[in-house]
Amino acid sequence: MIPGVDYFATHKHSEEWAPDGRTALMTFWRRPLHAMTDAFTAADFRINVISEPFPAPGARELSPISSWTSRRGAFVCFLFFVVQAD
Protein backbone atom coordinates (compact mmCIF):
# COMPACT_ATOMS: atom_id res chain seq x y z
CA MET A 1 0.00 0.00 0.00
CA ILE A 2 1.23 3.46 -0.85
CA PRO A 3 0.97 6.08 1.90
CA GLY A 4 -1.53 8.82 1.12
CA VAL A 5 -3.27 6.84 -1.65
CA ASP A 6 -6.85 5.70 -1.10
CA TYR A 7 -6.80 1.91 -1.61
CA PHE A 8 -10.45 1.88 -2.70
CA ALA A 9 -10.03 4.59 -5.35
CA THR A 10 -9.29 3.73 -8.98
CA HIS A 11 -6.70 5.94 -10.58
CA LYS A 12 -4.18 6.04 -13.42
CA HIS A 13 -0.47 6.39 -12.73
CA SER A 14 2.31 6.78 -15.32
CA GLU A 15 6.07 6.89 -14.94
CA GLU A 16 9.08 6.58 -17.21
CA TRP A 17 11.24 3.47 -16.99
CA ALA A 18 14.62 2.92 -18.63
CA PRO A 19 15.73 -0.59 -17.58
CA ASP A 20 17.96 -1.12 -20.64
CA GLY A 21 18.82 2.50 -21.41
CA ARG A 22 15.75 3.06 -23.59
CA THR A 23 12.98 5.10 -22.02
CA ALA A 24 9.42 3.78 -22.04
CA LEU A 25 6.32 5.33 -20.50
CA MET A 26 4.64 2.75 -18.27
CA THR A 27 1.00 3.35 -17.37
CA PHE A 28 -0.76 1.54 -14.55
CA TRP A 29 -4.33 1.52 -13.32
CA ARG A 30 -4.56 1.03 -9.59
CA ARG A 31 -7.83 -0.38 -8.33
CA PRO A 32 -8.90 -2.54 -5.43
CA LEU A 33 -9.09 -6.29 -5.88
CA HIS A 34 -12.87 -6.30 -5.50
CA ALA A 35 -13.20 -3.93 -8.49
CA MET A 36 -11.39 -6.44 -10.71
CA THR A 37 -13.26 -9.50 -9.44
CA ASP A 38 -16.61 -7.68 -9.61
CA ALA A 39 -15.95 -6.81 -13.27
CA PHE A 40 -15.33 -10.47 -14.15
CA THR A 41 -18.40 -11.75 -12.35
CA ALA A 42 -20.60 -8.98 -13.78
CA ALA A 43 -19.54 -10.14 -17.26
CA ASP A 44 -20.61 -13.72 -16.34
CA PHE A 45 -17.11 -15.08 -15.93
CA ARG A 46 -16.17 -17.48 -13.17
CA ILE A 47 -12.75 -16.93 -11.61
CA ASN A 48 -10.82 -20.21 -11.51
CA VAL A 49 -7.40 -18.94 -10.42
CA ILE A 50 -5.82 -15.73 -9.15
CA SER A 51 -2.04 -15.88 -9.42
CA GLU A 52 0.66 -13.50 -8.22
CA PRO A 53 3.79 -15.10 -9.67
CA PHE A 54 7.28 -14.69 -8.30
CA PRO A 55 10.03 -13.46 -10.64
CA ALA A 56 11.68 -16.22 -12.66
CA PRO A 57 14.86 -17.68 -11.16
CA GLY A 58 17.85 -15.68 -12.36
CA ALA A 59 15.75 -12.71 -13.45
CA ARG A 60 17.32 -10.34 -10.93
CA GLU A 61 20.77 -11.11 -12.32
CA LEU A 62 19.58 -10.18 -15.82
CA SER A 63 17.93 -6.92 -14.83
CA PRO A 64 19.09 -4.25 -12.37
CA ILE A 65 17.27 -4.11 -9.04
CA SER A 66 15.88 -0.67 -9.88
CA SER A 67 13.63 -2.25 -12.52
CA TRP A 68 12.00 -4.42 -9.83
CA THR A 69 10.60 -1.46 -7.91
CA SER A 70 8.67 1.64 -8.90
CA ARG A 71 9.88 5.13 -8.13
CA ARG A 72 7.62 5.06 -5.09
CA GLY A 73 9.42 1.99 -3.81
CA ALA A 74 6.62 -0.50 -4.37
CA PHE A 75 7.54 -3.96 -5.67
CA VAL A 76 6.42 -4.29 -9.29
CA CYS A 77 4.07 -7.27 -9.44
CA PHE A 78 1.12 -8.40 -11.45
CA LEU A 79 -2.01 -10.39 -10.76
CA PHE A 80 -3.15 -12.89 -13.36
CA PHE A 81 -6.72 -14.14 -13.49
CA VAL A 82 -7.83 -17.36 -15.12
CA VAL A 83 -11.51 -16.98 -15.92
CA GLN A 84 -14.10 -19.18 -17.57
CA ALA A 85 -17.27 -18.13 -19.33
CA ASP A 86 -20.36 -19.67 -17.77
Side-chain angles (χ1 to χ4, degrees), residues 58-76:
R60 290 185 191 270
E61 289 76 30
L62 297 173
S63 181
I65 193 67
S66 62
S67 67
W68 292 90
T69 57
S70 73
R71 288 185 184 174
R72 294 180 178 192
F75 176 68
V76 177

Side-chain angles (χ1 to χ4, degrees), residues 46-58:
R46 182 177 55 220
I47 300 170
N48 292 336
V49 176
I50 300 175
S51 177
E52 185 178 25
F54 288 99

Side-chain angles (χ1 to χ4, degrees), residues 33 36 50-53 77-81:
L33 182 59
M36 293 181 273
I50 300 175
S51 177
E52 185 178 25
C77 61
F78 298 92
L79 291 177
F80 294 93
F81 296 85

Side-chain angles (χ1 to χ4, degrees), residues 10-72:
T10 297
H11 66 279
K12 180 180 174 181
H13 170 74
S14 298
E15 59 185 57
E16 288 186 356
W17 285 8
D20 62 357
R22 295 182 297 182
T23 302
L25 182 65
M26 299 294 290
T27 301
F28 305 91
W29 286 94
R30 291 193 178 102
R31 59 186 49 121
L33 182 59
H34 78 84
M36 293 181 273
T37 58
D38 289 353
F40 291 130
T41 56
D44 292 327
F45 285 101
R46 182 177 55 220
I47 300 170
N48 292 336
V49 176
I50 300 175
S51 177
E52 185 178 25
F54 288 99
R60 290 185 191 270
E61 289 76 30
L62 297 173
S63 181
I65 193 67
S66 62
S67 67
W68 292 90
T69 57
S70 73
R71 288 185 184 174
R72 294 180 178 192

